[in-house]
């Protein structure tokens, strides 16, 4: 594979945008964000001569700055497919009810422990992470518990700081599980799409019944726990994002993430180009609502509206995307390694196993693939150092090419980042 130097293409000098009759200019290199008056905003154009001292200083930074970053190569995180089985049958599931197009299976304790060993012994960083994923991880609760206990013992032995997270549909959550997870500082991602009529449109049992009434009382017990996110999915049938987020917030959930569904084109739930305008309007309504709540001293933490500019954009980190296949790996129930859980379905992306290690040629491929400038569309984008280039697994699923982002999702990401920058300015 031909390699080129890790020199970064520059984004535009600045990006201007307007929200709620407020006008902003963002400088992608320095990470500076300023508010300007409407007259200045309307006159502002990248082709015009800029005489404002602040703009002149920023332009000098932009002209002189050359970037050269060494790509990350160190393993930091594992996703354990602890249960390749599920008790739900959601309409939009991308992993075939958690089976990943294989027979149902649960990860054995020996495999889970071997995964812990693999991470801690191969990672060169002090801080490492393990995520329990499925299917539904709580179907394999005994092994989850034993792995957490073993993981902390192993981390202590190697003087590592190990964090756990677990993604669940909430159906099997009970007081015993909740107490254990909280006592062990496990971050929880709970799947719920919104109010009953929204959630039950797609999140169903195998007999077709809705799941809202079965899980809502369970997950309400987590509202006072800081380490959780309610993670919903919206489709072209349930794209009222503001309604869903407002419902969750009014019911005491302050950490919320609502994600666009990833499905093949032609699927009746696929988000099409004609849906994008509606979704962007929904984001704007939600941004306005969060702004108003923030002025009241209230907090609604919407995942996609989070951005921290206190130390400028993290150019080095965000120049190399999510780290799939390099910093992050998924382990299936047999101990095989994949770049991430999403790519588990594609056998061509198998990157090794817990017993024989990683295929270094494939690792090199993913090091190159993670470079944001390997994606031509990203090279001159103003949002590149806030976005990181998007999800290569999704791109492969949609385009059969991990280097080609889907235009509609780039458009949504840019809208989310504009709102995030606006909220960050308050």
């Amino acid at each position: 594979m031909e390699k080129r130097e890790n020199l970064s293409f520059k984004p535009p000098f600045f990006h201007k945008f307007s929200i709620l009759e407020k006008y902003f200019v963002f400088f992608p290199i320095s990470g500076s964000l300023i508010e300007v008056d409407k007259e200045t905003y309307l006159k502002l154009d990248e082709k015009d001569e800029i005489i404002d001292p602040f703009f002149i200083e920023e332009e000098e930074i932009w002209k002189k700055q050359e970037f050269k970053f060494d790509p990350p190569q160190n393993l930091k995180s594992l996703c354990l497919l602890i249960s390749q089985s599920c008790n739900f049958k959601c309409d939009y599931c991308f992993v075939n009810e958690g089976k990943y197009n294989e027979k149902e299976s649960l990860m054995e304790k020996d495999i889970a422990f071997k995964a812990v060993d693999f991470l801690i012994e191969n990672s060169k960083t002090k801080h490492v992470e393990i995520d329990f994923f499925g299917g539904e991880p709580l179907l394999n609760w005994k092994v989850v518990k034993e792995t957490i206990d073993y993981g902390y013992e192993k981390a202590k032995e190697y003087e590592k700081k190990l964090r756990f997270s677990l993604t669940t549909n909430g159906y099997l959550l009970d007081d015993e599980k909740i107490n254990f997870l909280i006592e062990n500082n496990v971050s929880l991602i709970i799947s719920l799409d919104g109010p009953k009529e929204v959630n039950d449109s797609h999140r169903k049992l195998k007999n077709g019944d809705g799941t809202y009434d079965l899980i809502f009382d369970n997950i309400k017990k987590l509202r006072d726990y800081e380490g959780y996110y309610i993670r919903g999915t919206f489709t072209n049938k349930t794209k009222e994002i503001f309604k869903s987020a407002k419902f969750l917030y009014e019911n005491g959930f302050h950490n919320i993430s609502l994600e666009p569904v990833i499905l093949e084109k032609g699927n009746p739930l696929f988000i099409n180009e004609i849906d994008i305008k509606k979704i962007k309007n929904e984001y704007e309504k939600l941004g306005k609502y969060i702004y108003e709540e923030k002025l009241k001293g209230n907090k609604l933490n919407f995942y996609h509206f989070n951005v921290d500019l206190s130390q400028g954009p993290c150019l080095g980190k965000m120049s190399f995307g999510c780290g799939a296949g390099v910093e992050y790996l998924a382990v299936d129930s047999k101990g095989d390694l994949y770049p991430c859980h999403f790519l588990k379905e594609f056998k061509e992306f198998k990157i090794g196993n817990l017993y024989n290690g990683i295929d270094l040629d494939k690792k090199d491929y993913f090091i190159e693939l993670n470079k944001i400038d390997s994606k031509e569309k990203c090279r001159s984008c103003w949002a590149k150092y806030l976005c990181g280039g998007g999800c290569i697994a999704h791109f492969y699923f949609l385009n059969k090419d991990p280097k080609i982002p889907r235009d509609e999702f780039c458009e949504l990401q840019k809208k989310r980042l504009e709102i995030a920058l606006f909220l960050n300015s308050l």
Side-chain angles (χ1 to χ4, degrees):
M1 178 182 298
E2 182 181 350
K3 296 184 180 180
R4 59 178 180 77
E5 277 198 85
N6 301 323
L7 294 174
S8 175
F9 292 83
K10 286 185 179 180
F13 166 37
F14 67 82
H15 172 70
K16 67 176 187 176
F17 63 96
S18 173
I19 293 178
L20 296 180
E21 298 184 353
K22 294 178 180 288
Y23 304 91
F24 298 93
V25 181
F26 174 65
F27 300 92
I29 296 294
S30 69
S32 299
L33 177 71
I34 61 172
E35 185 173 358
V36 298
D37 57 58
K38 184 176 182 180
E39 182 180 1
T40 301
Y41 177 83
L42 293 174
K43 290 181 179 179
L44 200 57
D45 190 295
E46 293 174 273
K47 296 178 182 178
D48 293 342
E49 183 179 355
I50 302 170
I51 58 174
D52 182 276
F54 185 85
F55 276 77
I56 293 173
E57 182 180 350
E58 284 287 339
E59 188 173 29
E60 286 302 308
I61 294 173
W62 179 77
K63 284 179 178 178
K64 293 179 180 179
Q65 191 67 54
E66 294 291 340
F67 301 116
K68 186 175 181 180
F69 302 113
D70 292 325
Q73 301 191 30
N74 181 45
L75 180 64
K76 294 180 179 179
S77 179
L78 286 184
C79 174
L80 271 58
L81 304 182
I82 202 81
S83 169
Q84 288 180 221
S85 177
C86 192
N87 43 12
F88 282 16
K89 188 175 182 178
C90 302
D91 294 342
Y92 49 58
C93 182
F94 64 88
V95 293
N96 185 227
E97 299 176 50
K99 294 179 288 190
Y100 296 84
N101 292 323
E102 296 177 350
K103 292 181 179 179
E104 288 187 328
S105 61
L106 300 179
M107 184 178 287
E108 298 287 345
K109 181 178 74 172
D110 291 348
I111 299 288
F113 284 18
K114 182 66 176 176
V116 172
D117 295 343
F118 184 87
L119 173 64
I120 290 180
E121 293 171 7
N122 286 281
S123 177
K124 298 176 183 177
T125 61
K126 186 175 183 65
H127 296 270
V128 290
E129 299 182 15
I130 290 176
D131 177 40
F132 297 107
F133 200 76
E136 173 48 49
L138 297 185
L139 289 171
N140 201 5
W141 174 241
K142 184 174 184 292
V143 175
V144 168
K145 286 180 63 179
E146 292 173 332
T147 304
I148 291 172
D149 290 337
Y150 177 76
Y152 282 137
E153 290 176 8
K154 188 77 175 182
K156 184 177 180 180
E157 177 187 344
Y158 280 74
E159 298 182 338
K160 301 275 190 179
K161 295 290 185 181
L162 173 60
R163 293 182 57 191
F164 286 100
S165 60
L166 183 146
T167 299
T168 177
N169 59 34
Y171 187 24
L172 297 177
L173 274 177
D174 54 31
D175 290 344
E176 182 263 328
K177 294 184 181 69
I178 289 171
N179 291 337
F180 178 86
L181 293 166
I182 291 176
E183 287 169 4
N184 284 279
N185 297 311
V186 178
S187 298
L188 296 172
I189 301 93
I190 304 106
S191 300
L192 178 70
D193 289 353
K196 179 178 172 67
E197 68 276 11
V198 173
N199 184 81
D200 289 356
S201 295
H202 302 310
R203 299 192 61 77
K204 301 171 184 177
L205 295 176
K206 295 186 178 184
N207 65 7
D209 289 346
T211 59
Y212 178 90
D213 292 334
L214 300 171
I215 65 173
F216 196 68
D217 286 342
N218 294 345
I219 65 177
K220 282 195 298 186
K221 299 172 185 177
L222 295 166
R223 289 179 294 191
D224 294 329
Y225 178 49
E226 282 299 314
Y228 80 87
Y229 257 100
I230 299 296
R231 196 273 191 203
T233 298
F234 63 87
T235 72
N236 66 7
K237 308 293 185 186
T238 56
K239 52 184 178 281
E240 292 78 16
I241 302 167
F242 172 61
K243 171 185 173 181
S244 293
K246 185 171 182 287
F247 167 82
L248 293 168
Y249 177 67
E250 289 177 342
N251 276 274
F253 298 105
H254 290 189
N255 301 316
I256 301 166
S257 175
L258 298 173
E259 309 283 342
V261 71
I262 305 297
L263 292 168
E264 292 178 323
K265 195 168 185 178
N267 187 293
L269 303 179
F270 183 81
I271 292 175
N272 291 285
E273 185 178 354
I274 59 173
D275 301 309
I276 299 302
K277 182 177 180 180
K278 165 70 175 174
I279 295 169
K280 288 168 68 175
N281 288 338
E282 290 289 310
Y283 281 138
E284 289 180 355
K285 286 195 292 184
L286 179 55
K288 180 175 183 289
Y289 181 72
I290 294 174
Y291 165 70
E292 292 168 347
E293 289 300 305
K294 199 169 184 177
L295 293 180
K296 298 175 188 176
N298 300 326
K299 177 186 176 183
L300 196 175
N301 178 26
F302 188 71
Y303 178 79
H304 286 295
F305 292 170
N306 287 336
V307 62
D308 181 10
L309 296 180
S310 59
Q311 297 179 342
C314 189
L315 304 187
K317 178 181 178 182
M318 299 310 284
S319 294
F320 295 102
C322 69
V326 184
E327 296 180 291
Y328 175 89
L329 296 172
V331 186
D332 72 7
S333 61
K334 300 187 295 292
D336 289 335
L337 297 170
Y338 289 83
C340 73
H341 62 280
F342 201 100
L343 289 173
K344 154 67 181 165
E345 282 200 88
F346 303 100
K347 300 304 179 186
E348 62 268 32
F349 284 114
K350 179 182 170 183
I351 199 170
N353 63 62
L354 293 175
Y355 302 96
N356 300 315
I358 298 170
D359 182 323
L360 295 181
D361 288 337
K362 288 188 176 180
K363 180 181 177 181
D364 286 343
Y365 168 76
F366 276 94
I367 289 173
E368 292 296 313
L369 190 58
N370 268 277
K371 294 177 183 178
I372 190 171
D373 289 330
S374 71
K375 307 171 188 69
E376 188 173 352
K377 287 183 179 179
C378 297
R379 292 175 182 173
S380 59
C381 177
W382 68 266
K384 62 190 289 186
Y385 294 127
L386 298 176
C387 166
C391 178
I392 56 179
H394 292 173
F395 304 157
Y396 183 79
F397 179 73
L398 293 168
N399 302 314
K400 299 306 177 190
D401 188 334
K403 293 184 179 181
I404 303 179
R406 187 177 169 217
D407 291 340
E408 291 83 357
F409 280 79
C410 290
E411 197 172 343
L412 292 182
Q413 175 70 329
K414 290 173 186 177
K415 173 55 66 176
R416 292 188 296 234
L417 287 171
E418 287 179 344
I419 297 171
L421 290 167
F422 160 65
L423 293 172
N424 185 77
S425 73
L426 302 177

